[in-house]
Amino acid sequence: MCCETNRRFLLLYASQKGQAKAITEEICQQAKERGFKVDFHCISESDKYNLDSEKDPVVIVVSTTGTGEPPDTAVKFVKKIQNKALPSNYFSHLRYGLLGLGDSEYTFFCNGGKIIDKRFQELGAQRFYEMGLADDSVGLELVVDPWIAGLWVALNQEFVSRKKDTNHNGNCASFCASTVSNSSIDSRIEYLKLEDPELKNGVISTNEACVNSVPHFQDSQPSLSQSVPPLSQSTLNVPSLPPEYLNVHFEECSDQEASLPLISENSSFQVPVTKAVQLTKDDAVKTTLLLELDISKILFNYQPGDAFNVICPNYASEVEELLHVLGLSEMKDYLVRLTVKTGTKKRGAAVPLYIPEKSPVRFVLTWCLEIRAIPKKAFLRSLVEYTTDVGEKRRLQELCSKQGSSDYNTFLRDANVCLLDLLHTFPTCKPPLSLLIEHLPKLQARPYSAASSSLFQPGKMSFIFNILEFPSHLGQLRRGVCTGWLAKLVAPILNLKGDGSFIPKISISSRLVNSFHLPDNPSVPFMMVGPGTGVAPFIGFLQQRQKLREDHKDWTFGETWLFFGCRHKAKDYLFQDELRCFVENGTLTHLKVCFSRDSTAIEETATPKYVQDDLRLCSKEITRILLQEKGFFYVCGDAKNMAKNVNDTLVDIFVAERGADKLEALKILATLRDEKRYLQDIWT
């Protein structure tokens, strides 16, 4: 084994919604159990670590946000390391391992981690452990768990090589490093099983508890509540129990304390909703609403293409149901005071800043916690301790175990199961409120793209959304947390109903500056691809362009193209009248529209059904505008199918029109992205 006197490494995380932080906390916990010393920090806490002089190994976990950007907590860090004045040996003293988190349904998968890794390499840093790329679309744990398991071998080898380098002039160091960095994850796991003294027969005895199967009768089909052989008869490897770290003190609410606390969002504004319009017909597959906000009384600046946050609560009915199941109905108006448990083993334990001091229980569940979040395995492991039925305990252990990963993905992840579903499925599970606060993530504000221009509509901002509907675990219809709440809120004024006496209000906040904006030079041509609600920011683009044309008749304006698609022309052709006016007044040069579910009396196989079909028909114009005239290309909408198909279509177009091979075409796309002329605003 390596020298025991210095088994320290620096552990950094860059998290947007808490997943990277949760993973680094697990790494930190396991590291302490294995005798390592860990310095654990958010990457934004630059005053607490110094990579310029760091001598020990560095481990970094980085998430990805937006369409491939590093998380907000890493923006300053990335800007610093991308300074072109830094020499190529700036980080030559660093040895690091990096785990990237992402979603392969987005074009630029794990790009947050890749950006940092690439720049580290350019600055001379060397990996002591191969980079891991975890995919949230199939389950992060499929890569995260084996990557963490292999990390201990890599660190042990790194410290062994450093000791040998000190004692034997480094003859062994390069061999050890290359052995780790060049092997695949699978081979590292096999090496782990054979060589690491902390492991026996592939079972991590120091970190995971072996749980024997509990015989019980069950149906032949597995479900959330029960398993079938071989899982039901397997010995399980379950995660170590996360240390609890919060005390919840309940205090009766006095009359002076009866007012609700403020929602903890930076620079949030409450604004009235002045108009609500249903853009689709009643028989359309999806219901799309447009809301207009009055922002004339607040300091809220935006450009076409910007997104903003809507701060929304959880469903009141689900909160009441959760209070009932947890036995807190009689205490829902009690004030909650949180303190950190004395002697907790949780590293960096702190009271969550997003829960205001002395908030009522109902307020915490309504405005602070994401109660619809899919419970993570660490949460399931903790719930075991508050479950009394033996069969229910066993099933929860299975779902958080390595052996139960497939069941976890099928019955929790893919089924969008939330805590309330779990508590109904396992009725003897009665967790305390403190456990929910420890494990449920912060209730996130929901982002929406502005569908207007403040130049065209001063003091107003519009946005559109589909009312999300999906079945729950038990088959009940659920609506999206924010879209369902908004739809219910504006129902009294929808389509000009009401007498004006009721004016609903919502809270909004601005988002960080993005690059999804019109070209600075109005003479530069641009193309927009926005099927469905993806057309939203382009309405703002075209409103802005129309106003500029009216105010600056001596300016030269470039071509504008819009590729729009929907299911049925008669049911969900959004902004049909507005788009026709943009074409008629010359603001929109070319409008290409397709309808994927409409059929004609005589089917024409060449009729475009999807936006990518129209793109192929305009391949010469696309090539001319993007490659000859240095124009811009914008894509907004669904990441899972549309954005990928558009990306692939552009590659095909460059292959056909430029005579390039696929690799060259991909390089053209990469160049367009680097030049910020191929821009995406996409979501899953």
Side-chain angles (χ1 to χ4, degrees), residues 96 248 412 472:
Y96 74 99
V248 172
L412 273 93
S472 72

Side-chain angles (χ1 to χ4, degrees), residues 111-126:
N111 204 49
K114 290 177 180 177
I115 288 172
I116 293 176
D117 178 74
K118 180 183 177 183
R119 188 56 179 153
F120 269 33
Q121 294 281 303
E122 292 171 347
L123 295 175
Q126 293 182 316

Side-chain angles (χ1 to χ4, degrees), residues 108-378:
F108 301 98
F109 171 58
C110 282
N111 204 49
K114 290 177 180 177
I115 288 172
I116 293 176
D117 178 74
K118 180 183 177 183
R119 188 56 179 153
F120 269 33
Q121 294 281 303
E122 292 171 347
L123 295 175
Q126 293 182 316
R127 299 192 197 106
F128 74 86
Y129 185 34
E130 193 172 293
M131 180 167 60
L133 301 175
D135 186 358
D136 198 31
S137 70
V138 296
L140 293 173
E141 68 277 359
L142 296 181
V143 169
V144 170
D145 290 349
W147 192 88
I148 293 176
L151 175 63
W152 312 124
V153 174
L155 282 168
N156 280 333
Q157 290 288 354
E158 178 68 10
F159 287 121
V160 166
S161 67
R162 287 176 180 231
K163 183 179 180 183
K164 290 182 177 179
D165 187 37
T166 301
N167 297 335
H168 305 292
N169 297 320
N171 292 332
C172 184
S174 59
F175 169 77
C176 292
S178 62
T179 298
V180 174
S181 63
N182 293 330
S183 59
S184 66
I185 284 180
D186 288 340
S187 64
R188 283 198 302 273
I189 295 170
E190 291 302 314
Y191 183 73
L192 192 69
K193 292 177 180 178
L194 292 172
E195 300 294 335
D196 197 311
E198 295 174 352
L199 298 178
K200 296 179 181 179
N201 300 322
V203 178
I204 305 179
S205 58
T206 60
N207 184 50
E208 302 187 28
C210 296
V211 182
N212 293 322
S213 61
V214 177
H216 57 279
F217 296 100
Q218 55 188 27
D219 297 332
S220 58
Q221 294 298 320
S223 66
L224 177 62
S225 61
Q226 60 189 13
S227 61
V228 298
L231 178 59
S232 62
Q233 299 172 351
S234 299
T235 297
L236 303 176
N237 302 102
V238 300
S240 57
L241 183 64
E244 296 185 15
Y245 63 95
L246 288 178
N247 288 316
V248 172
H249 309 275
F250 296 102
E251 302 175 1
E252 288 195 60
C253 180
S254 64
D255 292 338
Q256 291 82 6
E257 298 171 315
S259 61
L260 291 178
L262 295 175
I263 304 165
S264 56
E265 286 288 337
N266 293 329
S267 303
S268 62
F269 304 93
Q270 193 172 60
V271 295
V273 181
T274 53
K275 184 168 70 174
V277 179
Q278 181 173 318
L279 300 181
T280 50
K281 300 296 183 182
D282 289 339
D283 58 348
V285 174
K286 296 180 180 179
T287 300
T288 307
L289 302 186
L290 176 145
L291 304 189
E292 182 184 88
L293 309 178
D294 181 357
I295 59 172
S296 61
K297 303 293 193 300
I298 63 172
L299 186 61
F300 192 92
N301 298 317
Y302 76 97
Q303 296 183 52
D306 279 346
F308 64 98
N309 290 322
V310 173
I311 301 163
C312 62
N314 290 306
Y315 269 68
S317 59
E318 293 178 16
V319 171
E320 294 298 324
E321 191 175 356
L322 190 55
L323 287 166
H324 174 72
V325 173
L326 295 174
L328 293 172
S329 294
E330 300 300 318
M331 303 176 66
K332 60 186 178 183
D333 294 322
Y334 277 51
L335 301 181
V336 171
R337 183 169 59 87
L338 300 176
T339 59
V340 175
K341 282 181 180 288
T342 303
T344 179
K345 295 181 179 179
K346 169 80 171 178
R347 185 178 177 89
V351 173
L353 297 177
Y354 50 84
I355 298 181
E357 187 177 356
K358 291 191 175 182
S359 299
V361 174
R362 179 165 47 185
F363 179 89
V364 171
L365 295 178
T366 302
W367 290 99
C368 302
L369 302 179
E370 193 88 59
I371 64 174
R372 285 269 192 94
I374 298 169
K376 297 187 182 300
K377 290 186 176 182

Side-chain angles (χ1 to χ4, degrees), residues 9-15 18-32 38-43 59-63 97-101 144 147-148 151-152 346-347:
F9 67 93
L10 175 64
L11 178 59
L12 303 175
Y13 69 89
S15 190
Q19 296 207 88
K21 182 181 180 182
I23 290 169
T24 51
E25 288 174 342
E26 175 65 20
I27 292 173
C28 187
Q29 179 68 24
Q30 291 191 32
K32 290 193 294 182
V38 188
D39 279 349
F40 171 43
H41 304 291
C42 176
I43 207 165
V59 178
I60 309 175
V61 182
V62 186
S63 65
L98 188 145
L99 174 62
L101 312 180
V144 170
W147 192 88
I148 293 176
L151 175 63
W152 312 124
K346 169 80 171 178
R347 185 178 177 89

